[in-house]
Amino acid sequence: MSAQWRIEIRLGDGHAPLRSVLVEADTEVEALRQVLAEAERDHVAAEELLLDGQEEVFSRTEVLDGHVEHQAQA
């Protein structure tokens, strides 16, 4: 029989949860697996975003450097 499970992940006592998820699963173990799978997907997406963000910052820096060099030559 399926039940709703609220899974909260905290670091230390008294801190707000880093993640709070309501999942529907037959067992506590299945609920934990669902939350872990979601966390892993989020982690992969965050790593991709970090790489994209680094590329974007690098590109902007190159553009600004080129703009500064162009102004210096004028």
Side-chain angles (χ1 to χ4, degrees):
M1 180 183 205
S2 187
Q4 284 191 337
W5 300 85
R6 165 119 2 238
I7 308 293
E8 291 187 349
I9 300 169
R10 299 172 184 262
L11 291 178
D13 292 332
H15 294 284
L18 297 173
R19 181 181 297 266
S20 179
V21 181
L22 184 63
V23 296
E24 192 164 320
D26 292 334
T27 66
E28 181 181 9
V29 172
E30 182 57 34
L32 290 169
R33 284 186 179 135
Q34 287 181 31
V35 173
L36 178 59
E38 181 181 321
E40 287 176 346
R41 285 190 302 272
D42 290 351
H43 179 71
V44 168
E47 284 181 341
E48 290 173 359
L49 182 60
L50 178 62
L51 289 175
D52 290 345
Q54 289 173 345
E55 291 172 4
E56 179 68 21
V57 169
F58 186 68
S59 297
R60 285 185 192 170
T61 302
E62 286 181 329
V63 169
L64 289 174
D65 287 347
H67 184 67
V68 170
E69 288 176 11
H70 179 72
Q71 284 183 346
Q73 292 175 357

